[in-house]
């Protein structure tokens, strides 16, 4: 529901609520007057009802404009209670300002011929007004809070659905169909040529698939565990690219126990091979560096620039998924540096 519709509905219900209050007040006045309708009681009832209609509307407008529901529950209750106290006081003050001159001029009549404004009577009038305003304020405030909670839950569910879709896309990116196709074809060729190497490739492929399927979006692994996955992946790709793929790793020993999102480094290496090595007839070298400085894990994956110009901001669901994993907790940059493409990822520990 948009803000305009919600506001229109509130003012309609607000008018109906205080119209009902006015009808109730007239009924009570008739009981007091022995069945007769006194003009003074009509003035009191209408004045209080209209004042409370305006005060409750103003209270709601102020609460929404100043975002009272975003504060703590205690702060919200105190502000609404203060609004009720002030609103009831204003309603009684306006009513007295209208009634007393009208009585003095003889424009209206009351049972007994005069208005009772002793302190005890004033307190009763104010408490009666405050009670009704409190009940109505509590009702619309509670309904508004429930509506906010429902909208928040719907937003959370939409975010979960979008995240699930991203994870499904990322899973498809992890299990790159070209990678699988090449791996299976190379495995078939190795079975007859080099059975021992074929068995090793089956083992590595199995571990790679298990790692791709086992981890969820929020899971963290150590760099040592991630490097084991990368080694298996590179060994499988080495069978396909042979001498076209060279790999150089520079891993600081103190960085191996640092934490990073599962499969994050593997995605960078896969991207380097797909957009760097595979697109060059002569292949090239993929460089992997890892350091730990000031409790920040710094990962860098370099590959030669493709023969055909590639975008510098990254593309594909794999890198989009990686950015979603890091969120605001880390930094990811993909940019050309000289004749190489550099992927840089920084993850605070």
């Amino acid at each position: 529901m948009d803000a305009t519709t919600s506001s229109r509905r509130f003012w309609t219900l607000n008018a109906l609520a205080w119209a009902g209050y006015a009808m109730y007040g007239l009924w009570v006045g008739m009981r007091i007057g022995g069945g007769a309708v006194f003009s003074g009681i009509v003035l009191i009832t209408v004045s209080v009802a209209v004042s409370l209609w305006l005060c409750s509307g103003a209270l709601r407008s102020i609460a929404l404009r100043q975002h009272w529901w975003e504060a703590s529950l205690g702060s919200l209750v105190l502000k609404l209670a203060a609004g009720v106290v002030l609103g009831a006081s204003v309603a009684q003050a306006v009513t007295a300002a209208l009634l007393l001159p009208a009585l003095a001029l003889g424009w209206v009549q009351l049972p007994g011929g005069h208005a009772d404004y002793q302190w005890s009577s004033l307190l009763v009038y104010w408490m009666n007004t405050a009670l009704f305003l409190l009940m109505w304020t509590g009702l619309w405030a509670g309904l508004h809070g429930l509506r906010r909670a429902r909208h928040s839950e719907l937003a959370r569910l939409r975010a979960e659905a979008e995240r699930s879709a991203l994870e499904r896309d990322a899973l498809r990116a992890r299990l790159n169909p070209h990678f699988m196709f090449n791996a299976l074809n190379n495995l078939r060729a190795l079975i007859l040529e080099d059975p021992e190497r074929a068995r090793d490739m089956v083992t590595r492929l199995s571990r790679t698939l298990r790692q791709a399927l086992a981890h969820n979006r929020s899971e963290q692994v150590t760099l040592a565990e991630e490097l084991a996955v990368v080694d298996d992946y590179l060994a499988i790709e080495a069978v396909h690219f042979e001498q076209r793929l060279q790999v150089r790793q520079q891993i600081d020993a103190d960085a191996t126990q640092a934490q990073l999102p599962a499969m994050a480094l593997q995605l960078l290496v896969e991207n380097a091979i797909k957009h760097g090595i595979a697109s060059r007839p002569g292949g090239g070298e993929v460089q992997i560096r890892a350091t730990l400085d000031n409790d920040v894990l710094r990962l860098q994956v370099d590959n030669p620039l493709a023969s055909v110009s590639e975008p510098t901001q990254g593309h594909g669901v794999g890198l989009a998924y990686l950015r979603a994993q890091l969120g605001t907790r880390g930094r990811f940059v993909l940019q050309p540096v000289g004749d190489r493409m550099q992927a840089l990822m920084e993850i605070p520990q």
Side-chain angles (χ1 to χ4, degrees), residues 181-194:
F181 177 79
N182 292 334
L184 292 176
N185 273 333
N186 293 328
L187 177 60
R188 183 180 61 178
L190 283 176
I191 289 176
L192 296 178
E193 297 176 6
D194 192 340

Side-chain angles (χ1 to χ4, degrees), residues 116-295:
D116 182 7
Y117 270 100
Q118 299 179 10
W119 285 108
S120 58
S121 299
L122 281 174
L123 180 61
V124 172
Y125 300 156
W126 182 88
M127 291 182 63
N128 176 73
T129 304
L131 177 62
F132 281 95
L133 181 57
L134 178 63
M135 290 190 296
W136 176 237
T137 299
L139 178 61
W140 66 254
L143 291 175
H144 181 74
L146 289 175
R147 186 164 60 250
R148 279 175 55 89
R150 185 173 70 249
H151 289 170
S152 297
E153 180 65 13
L154 289 174
R156 186 188 66 81
L157 291 174
R158 281 194 293 268
E160 289 287 342
E162 291 172 0
R163 187 181 71 178
S164 296
L166 182 60
E167 288 180 348
R168 288 194 299 270
D169 288 342
L171 179 60
R172 286 194 290 269
R174 288 176 180 179
L175 303 180
N176 188 301
H178 293 291
F179 166 73
M180 292 296 299
F181 177 79
N182 292 334
L184 292 176
N185 273 333
N186 293 328
L187 177 60
R188 183 180 61 178
L190 283 176
I191 289 176
L192 296 178
E193 297 176 6
D194 192 340
E196 184 63 29
R197 193 179 181 190
R199 283 193 296 269
D200 178 68
M201 185 174 179
V202 169
T203 301
R204 291 181 181 275
L205 182 59
S206 174
R207 287 201 298 253
T208 300
L209 296 179
R210 183 171 64 248
Q211 291 295 323
L213 294 170
H215 297 293
N216 59 44
R217 180 179 184 268
S218 60
E219 190 168 351
Q220 300 282 304
V221 298
T222 65
L223 178 59
E225 293 171 324
E226 183 74 358
L227 286 171
V229 176
V230 170
D231 288 342
D232 286 336
Y233 174 79
L234 288 172
I236 296 170
E237 290 287 50
V239 174
H240 175 69
F241 289 102
E242 297 181 335
Q243 298 304 314
R244 293 174 59 206
L245 173 62
Q246 292 91 45
V247 180
R248 181 171 59 171
Q249 298 189 25
Q250 296 176 340
I251 311 297
D252 285 0
D254 57 353
T256 56
Q257 295 306 308
Q259 299 282 318
L260 72 159
M263 303 296 287
L265 181 58
Q266 189 273 338
L267 283 172
L268 294 185
V269 174
E270 178 182 354
N271 191 69
I273 293 176
K274 179 180 178 182
H275 297 291
I277 307 302
S279 62
R280 295 171 58 91
E285 182 181 74
V286 174
Q287 299 175 0
I288 304 172
R289 299 182 181 89
T291 59
L292 185 65
D293 298 317
N294 298 321
D295 287 330

Side-chain angles (χ1 to χ4, degrees), residues 7-83:
S7 181
R8 186 184 302 114
R9 188 174 73 169
F10 167 79
W11 282 105
T12 300
L13 294 176
N14 197 34
L16 291 175
W18 294 118
Y21 171 81
M23 297 298 293
Y24 169 76
L26 290 175
W27 176 77
V28 172
M30 290 178 61
R31 295 289 299 271
I32 295 174
V37 179
F38 286 85
S39 55
I41 292 179
V42 174
L43 175 61
I44 293 171
T45 302
V46 173
S47 174
V48 172
V50 172
S51 297
L52 293 180
W53 176 68
L54 293 173
C55 287
S56 58
L59 179 59
R60 173 185 178 272
S61 298
I62 293 171
L64 294 179
R65 187 167 58 251
Q66 297 184 358
H67 308 289
W68 286 3
W69 274 266
E70 295 180 6
S72 65
L73 178 60
S75 175
L76 173 63
V77 171
L78 286 176
K79 291 176 180 178
L80 291 176

Side-chain angles (χ1 to χ4, degrees), residues 271-324:
N271 191 69
I273 293 176
K274 179 180 178 182
H275 297 291
I277 307 302
S279 62
R280 295 171 58 91
E285 182 181 74
V286 174
Q287 299 175 0
I288 304 172
R289 299 182 181 89
T291 59
L292 185 65
D293 298 317
N294 298 321
D295 287 330
V296 175
L297 176 62
R298 192 171 189 271
L299 298 173
Q300 182 177 317
V301 178
D302 292 3
N303 61 271
L305 287 173
S307 300
V308 179
S309 178
E310 292 280 351
T312 61
Q313 296 300 316
H315 57 283
V317 294
L319 296 184
Y321 176 69
L322 178 58
R323 289 188 174 94

